[in-house]
Amino acid sequence: KILAYNNLSCVYNAMKKYDLSAKVISSTLQMEEELAAARYGQSELSIISTYFNYSAILSQAKQHDKTIPALQKGFAYMEKAESRKSLEESEAVHLKNLRISGLFMMGKEYEVNENIEKAKGCLEKAMAIAKELKKQNIIEKVEQALANLKKKDTS
């Protein structure tokens, strides 16, 4: 059911029906919250991506007041997952990649809200992790975002 809702949300998103997409993925999150609370399977990890996807949809729907709180919920689940003693190396790397994405999205959202310092802080943290993981394509994307911020900051 969760997968079907996620897919339906993607379809609505592709059709630019962002409010409908957000509503569907919100239902997905309710189900995933229950599974994560019960520590069912990989739900503690998958809910992070779902929150980040939800925040991207909210941003596209111009519901910027809800975007950062959705990202923060994803980060809260990430911190819980990172604190697990049984975290496998592949899961740790996956979480670092998710952290880059979340920090990038949060930086762009702060930029939309004209909070340049917070945007810069998020992007710099994303850059540090991207360099650690040697993700050149992401490094270039973050460098470009930081350059754009610098232009805004000096104007």
Side-chain angles (χ1 to χ4, degrees):
K1 194 171 182 178
I2 289 172
L3 183 58
Y5 276 34
N6 265 326
N7 290 341
L8 182 59
S9 175
C10 290
V11 169
Y12 286 138
N13 195 44
M15 295 169 63
K16 298 185 186 320
K17 295 184 177 188
Y18 304 122
D19 290 332
L20 196 50
S21 180
K23 184 176 181 179
V24 170
I25 205 163
S26 180
S27 297
T28 303
L29 281 166
Q30 289 175 346
M31 289 182 276
E32 282 196 89
E33 290 274 358
E34 292 173 19
L35 292 176
R39 294 181 170 231
Y40 181 81
Q42 293 290 312
S43 59
E44 287 180 296
L45 295 175
S46 67
I47 196 168
I48 299 164
S49 296
T50 306
Y51 267 113
F52 288 176
N53 290 339
Y54 181 52
S55 70
I57 292 165
L58 291 170
S59 184
Q60 290 173 314
K62 307 245 185 283
Q63 295 182 28
H64 299 291
D65 59 317
K66 297 177 184 175
T67 304
I68 290 176
L71 286 165
Q72 289 169 331
K73 283 187 177 184
F75 281 120
Y77 275 101
M78 184 179 295
E79 288 166 16
K80 189 183 281 189
E82 288 171 335
S83 70
R84 280 195 346 229
K85 290 181 176 39
S86 61
L87 190 67
E88 295 177 17
E89 179 63 27
S90 62
E91 292 173 323
V93 171
H94 178 65
L95 288 170
K96 284 183 180 182
N97 281 299
L98 284 174
R99 185 170 294 279
I100 293 169
S101 296
L103 287 166
F104 187 84
M105 288 189 290
M106 190 169 273
K108 297 302 284 179
E109 207 52 41
Y110 279 128
E111 180 182 358
V112 167
N113 292 323
E114 298 182 10
N115 191 330
I116 302 303
E117 283 307 307
K118 283 189 175 183
K120 184 179 173 189
C122 289
L123 292 171
E124 287 173 345
K125 288 176 187 174
M127 175 69 83
I129 301 167
K131 285 181 176 178
E132 174 191 337
L133 298 178
K134 297 177 175 55
K135 299 280 190 173
Q136 190 57 40
N137 60 330
I138 296 172
I139 291 168
E140 291 169 8
K141 188 174 183 178
V142 176
E143 283 174 342
Q144 183 61 52
L146 284 165
N148 290 341
L149 270 184
K150 192 171 185 177
K151 287 178 192 173
K152 285 185 175 186
D153 201 24
T154 58
S155 50

